[in-house]
Amino acid sequence: MNLEYKNLLPANFDSGSRVWIYQSNRLFGMMEALEVEKILTAFTDQWQAHGAPVKGFATLFFGQFIVLMADETQTGVSGCSTDSSVRLIKAIEERFGVSLFDRQLLAFVVKDKVQLIPMAQLAPAIQGGFVTGDTLYFNNLAGTKAELENNWIIPVKESWLKSKLPLQSA
């Protein structure tokens, strides 16, 4: 699995640009992914905050993660503009029959694929050796472009999960 994504991020966005990551509970099919990309582009092309255009970017990474970014150096995003992005994500959920707000579903790279594990199953996954401290984890809490670039796909032992469970490096 090619995990290179940084070169797909807009170079002309400030490193402090706000980021929202929405993880799907399943992989989008190819035709679905193409349609999601069109929906995201249409949204960012018309995204506004208090009548001013938002410098926005949105894409679907790895067929499963919607990343929405707003460079607030020109126009701040708040209230109504944030609500419009949430409405967009909810519309995508409804259109494609996916869940994009389930924070109890954790994503890892296992056997060269994105694998989803419910939080309740994490301890057994670690005990069974399916997930180790070195397993790559999608840290969807990344809130800025810099965090997305540097702290999105990280080993479990470097994530917030390290404090939850005893981990051993493989």
Side-chain angles (χ1 to χ4, degrees):
M1 175 176 189
N2 181 355
L3 294 175
E4 293 300 316
Y5 65 93
K6 295 175 190 175
N7 61 327
L8 301 174
L9 297 174
N12 64 336
F13 275 54
D14 185 77
S15 63
S17 295
R18 284 180 60 188
V19 167
W20 297 266
I21 302 169
Y22 299 94
Q23 171 187 296
S24 175
N25 64 326
R26 69 167 174 82
L27 191 66
F28 285 96
M30 183 60 72
M31 296 308 290
E32 290 176 320
L34 292 171
E35 190 174 340
V36 167
E37 285 285 355
K38 285 181 187 175
I39 292 167
L40 294 173
T41 299
F43 174 78
T44 56
D45 286 349
Q46 59 78 39
W47 199 8
Q48 293 192 346
H50 304 290
V54 171
K55 184 178 179 182
F57 167 81
T59 194
L60 179 65
F61 281 122
F62 310 114
Q64 202 154 355
F65 300 89
I66 293 175
V67 173
L68 185 60
M69 185 183 306
D71 185 338
E72 295 185 296
T73 57
Q74 296 171 9
T75 304
V77 174
S78 64
C80 294
S81 51
T82 303
D83 290 348
S84 67
S85 70
V86 171
R87 281 193 302 277
L88 165 78
I89 299 302
K90 287 183 177 182
I92 291 171
E93 276 188 322
E94 188 173 313
R95 166 75 181 90
F96 297 98
V98 297
S99 173
L100 293 163
F101 289 97
D102 186 353
R103 301 293 184 211
Q104 295 296 305
L105 202 55
L106 306 173
F108 302 89
V109 177
V110 178
K111 297 182 181 177
D112 215 31
K113 289 176 61 179
V114 175
Q115 300 288 335
L116 302 177
I117 300 174
M119 177 79 82
Q121 296 301 312
L122 185 58
I126 290 173
Q127 291 166 353
F130 189 71
V131 172
T132 70
D134 293 319
T135 301
L136 293 178
Y137 166 66
F138 287 88
N139 176 28
N140 295 327
L141 300 176
T144 65
K145 181 184 178 198
E147 290 174 357
L148 180 65
E149 291 173 329
N150 302 310
N151 297 314
W152 183 33
I153 303 173
I154 56 175
V156 170
K157 65 186 174 191
E158 295 175 19
S159 76
W160 66 273
L161 293 172
K162 72 179 178 200
S163 65
K164 298 290 184 190
L165 300 163
L167 297 170
Q168 299 172 350
S169 295

